[in-house]
Amino acid sequence: MKSLKVLFFGTPEFAKTSLQAIHESSHEVVGVVTVADKASGRGQKINQSAVKIFATENNLPVFQPEKLRNTDFLEEIAQLNADVFVVVAFRMMPKVLFEMPELGTFNLHASLLPDYRGAAPINYAVINGEKKTGATTFFINEKIDEGNILLQDEIEISADENAGELHDRLMEMGAKLVVKTLDGLAENSITEKAQPEVLHPKNAFKIFKEDTRINWTQDSETVRNFIRGMSPYPAAFTTVKIGEEEKVLKIYKGKVEMVSHQNSPGVLEINKNEFKIFTNDGCYFPLEVQLEGKKRMSVKDFLNGFQQYDQISQL
C-alpha cells in the first residue's frame, strides 16, 4: 500500500490520539500544526498542547502560527509536499490552506454527520438521550462540518455513560477511522458522498457558562441526561443558599426516581443520609457534587460536611 505524506492539525488529547495512530501506521507525518503555547494559572506556567508534546517527543516538525493565512507559514507548509492534511479538533481553516494538498484536507468529527455539527457533538448526543452516535471523516469545505463524507463508524451510548466516558471511547475509535481513511485514500478505494439533506439537523453549538444551569422544571430523565452530558466538563450547575450565602453547586452524577409529589421543581430535601431535588415528575438524587470553593466529592462526603441541614435551600 502507498504511504501518504500527512500534515496533521490538532490541539487537545482527542487529537493527539489520532496523531499517534497515524505516526504508528504506514503513513508518514511530515509536520504538525497546533495552537501556540500559552501561560495559565497563578504562576503563569507555559502550557503546551497535547499534540505538541507528542510531536516534540517523537521528533516531528511543529508549526504554531498565530494566523493560518500568514504568507511565511503557507510557504513553509507548501514545501512539505504533503499528500493530504488531517484535521482533528482544530480551528477553522482558510480555503488557501485546505485546498493545498493533492488529495485534499479531511476532518474527524465526533458525530454521525449531518447530525451534531458544531463544537460540542459528544455533549449534545448525551444531553439529548441518544442511544448511538459515532465518528465521521469528511473533506473540509468553506462551511462548518458540511463537506463530503468519506467514512463513518457507529458506537452505542450506554444508559449511564457521561460525556467524558463517551469522549474517551470516540477518541480511540476516531483514531482508527482516521488511519482507515488514509488507507482508503492511498488505495483510491473510498467514494466520497455528499451529506444527506436534513430539514432540521440536530445541532451541537458551543457551550457557554449560561448554558450549563440545570432546569429543574424538566422531567427527571431530561435532567439526568443533561447532567451526564455536561460531565465532567463543563459541568452542570445549580445554586443553593447556605445560610444567607449563595453558592454554586456543580453536579456530576446522580440517579432519578419517578414519584408523585406536591413540591415545586427545584425544591430540595436534605438530611444526613439523603439529598434529593424535585423535578416536575420525580426526584433527582445527586451522587457526585462540587460546592463552590470545595473539591469534587461524593454526596456522602458532602453531607458529612454539614451539621444544620435546614440552613441549605434551593435558590
Side-chain angles (χ1 to χ4, degrees):
M1 181 178 64
K2 179 184 174 184
S3 174
L4 298 179
K5 292 199 291 184
V6 179
L7 179 63
F8 185 87
F9 295 74
T11 299
E13 191 71 22
F14 192 93
K16 187 218 81 171
T17 303
S18 288
L19 173 59
Q20 181 175 352
I22 300 169
H23 184 59
E24 293 172 355
S25 74
S26 61
H27 305 288
E28 179 190 359
V29 179
V30 296
V32 173
V33 183
T34 191
V35 70
D37 301 343
K38 49 187 176 181
S40 64
R42 287 182 182 176
Q44 289 294 287
K45 181 182 176 183
I46 300 297
N47 289 312
Q48 300 177 343
S49 73
V51 161
K52 182 183 178 181
I53 292 169
F54 178 86
T56 303
E57 289 173 348
N58 290 275
N59 300 311
L60 301 173
V62 176
F63 302 88
Q64 296 177 278
E66 284 190 17
K67 295 182 179 179
L68 297 177
R69 296 178 186 272
N70 179 278
T71 305
D72 292 339
F73 166 68
L74 292 172
E75 287 177 359
E76 281 185 297
I77 295 308
Q79 289 172 11
L80 295 173
N81 291 315
D83 299 304
V84 62
F85 293 174
V86 176
V87 182
V88 183
F90 197 63
R91 59 188 195 258
M92 280 192 69
M93 293 175 63
K95 188 174 182 180
V96 66
L97 184 58
F98 70 68
E99 285 192 342
M100 192 177 289
E102 182 182 351
L103 295 179
T105 298
F106 75 83
N107 179 253
L108 171 69
H109 188 72
S111 81
L112 297 172
L113 291 172
D115 279 336
Y116 298 113
R117 292 171 178 151
I122 300 173
N123 301 90
Y124 279 103
V126 178
I127 288 168
N128 290 339
E130 299 286 2
K131 305 300 182 193
K132 68 177 183 179
T133 185
T136 304
T137 52
F138 67 96
F139 278 131
I140 285 180
N141 61 19
E142 291 175 285
K143 295 181 179 179
I144 296 175
D145 300 335
E146 292 189 26
N148 286 353
I149 291 172
L150 294 166
L151 294 176
Q152 286 187 320
D153 206 353
E154 202 173 279
I155 196 170
E156 289 187 2
I157 305 174
S158 64
D160 293 319
E161 191 167 25
N162 68 26
E165 293 162 343
L166 181 59
H167 166 281
D168 291 350
R169 293 204 294 134
L170 284 169
M171 179 172 67
E172 298 295 335
M173 189 186 83
K176 293 175 184 175
L177 192 66
V178 164
V179 173
K180 188 176 178 182
T181 302
L182 288 170
D183 292 346
L185 291 173
E187 296 170 353
N188 197 27
S189 61
I190 296 177
T191 302
E192 62 181 283
K193 56 183 181 181
Q195 293 189 30
E197 292 288 336
V198 179
L199 189 59
H200 300 293
K202 300 169 184 176
N203 290 307
F205 301 124
K206 185 176 180 179
I207 297 171
F208 295 96
K209 170 90 167 103
E210 58 268 26
D211 302 321
T212 63
R213 180 185 284 273
I214 302 164
N215 179 3
W216 297 107
T217 65
Q218 296 177 317
D219 64 79
S220 298
E221 193 59 26
T222 299
V223 168
R224 190 182 78 88
N225 288 341
F226 180 80
I227 290 169
R228 67 191 185 96
M230 292 289 183
S231 181
Y233 183 82
F237 80 96
T238 190
T239 48
V240 295
K241 202 170 183 181
I242 301 177
E244 294 302 313
E245 195 173 4
E246 178 183 336
K247 293 275 191 179
V248 168
L249 181 72
K250 293 181 178 179
I251 304 178
Y252 295 92
K253 185 179 180 181
K255 62 181 181 179
V256 298
E257 188 176 306
M258 313 304 285
V259 292
S260 59
H261 61 81
Q262 301 302 314
N263 293 290
S264 298
V267 168
L268 63 82
E269 283 187 7
I270 187 167
N271 57 52
K272 65 178 182 179
N273 297 315
E274 189 175 74
F275 180 12
K276 63 183 176 183
I277 305 172
F278 292 98
T279 66
N280 71 1
D281 67 346
C283 296
Y284 183 87
F285 295 82
L287 296 176
E288 288 185 30
V289 298
Q290 183 176 11
L291 186 65
E292 185 179 340
K294 303 289 185 180
K295 65 179 182 179
R296 181 174 169 178
M297 64 185 72
S298 69
V299 76
K300 182 179 178 182
D301 290 338
F302 172 78
L303 293 174
N304 286 340
F306 292 98
Q307 301 298 322
Q308 295 173 290
Y309 298 103
D310 58 352
Q311 289 190 351
I312 306 176
S313 59
Q314 188 80 16
L315 282 177

